Amino acid sequence: QQQVKQSPQSLIVQKGGISIINCAYENTAFDYFPWYQQFPGKGPALLIAIRPDVSEKKEGRFTISFNKSAKQFSLHIMDSQPGDSATYFCAASNGRDDKIIFGKGTRLHILP
Amino acid sequence: DGGITQSPKYLFRKEGQNVTLSCEQNLNHDAMYWYRQDPGQGLRLIYYSQIVNDFQKGDIAEGYSVSREKKESFPLTVTSAQKNPTAFYLCASSSFSGPSYNEQFFGPGTRLTVL
């Protein structure tokens, strides 16, 4: 119930293509869904986040799509660039709990 | 500059030794967290603290201990009871209010290697 399942584990995309990472959850009490980006040897940093009152949130080339009925959400990176090569983590939390449950991560590599 | 600092960046430990990892934040955040990261395992919660002088076990607390004597500081001790301590350790903090509510801010991490 507390898990967040993330796929794929790794992803290779051509420069200019669309990168798509998917996540699924079981706990319907989750009400905050962030995505974190992590470069090698660094701590993760918040990339974009969504709450379940909207189905999509866009910030620049990054978009979260949220499907509440299916309990799924995904990250789309448009016009992927080599600088986007990093590990991406989806996550979920119940605001009352303050703990964040992380997916296992997706290693994204953008080919130049 | 506001942020989270972790020290040291790299730490080497002999088997049987306890070591303490430092985490300090000047963001005036209420909550602080320790995670362990292993390849392919994502981020696993070790301990977290929502207020000074109080903390709770996370999913993998065995072999670790923490203290929260000050709001800004949340050190993690890796004890000799931790069977496989070699990993990348991340500290994070978050606020209970404001526009960044729920967002966890991470430090740069400490890489611990047991020799």
Side-chain angles (χ1 to χ4, degrees), chain A residues 9 31-32 36 38 41-46 51 87 89 93-105, chain B residues 9 33 35 37 40-43 45 48 50 59 88 90 94-96 101-109 111:
Chain A
Q9 268 190 308
D31 62 0
Y32 174 68
Y36 282 82
Q38 183 181 31
K42 307 292 184 183
L46 180 70
R51 296 195 184 269
T87 299
F89 294 96
S93 78
N94 172 345
R96 290 184 296 278
D97 197 15
D98 291 313
K99 287 190 299 182
I100 291 182
I101 311 299
F102 287 88
K104 292 195 173 184
Chain B
K9 188 174 176 64
Y33 311 81
Y35 293 91
Q37 187 173 24
Q41 293 287 329
L43 300 169
L45 184 63
Y48 65 105
Q50 295 175 317
D59 302 317
F88 190 49
L90 288 159
S94 68
S95 173
F96 293 155
Y101 171 65
N102 258 164
E103 178 183 349
Q104 288 192 10
F105 293 78
F106 283 84
R111 187 165 297 280

Side-chain angles (χ1 to χ4, degrees), chain A residues 56-72:
Chain A
E56 186 175 283
K57 184 174 181 180
K58 184 175 181 178
E59 290 184 1
R61 296 184 293 109
F62 300 91
T63 300
I64 299 179
S65 297
F66 184 78
N67 186 330
K68 189 174 182 177
S69 60
K71 292 184 282 187
Q72 294 175 347

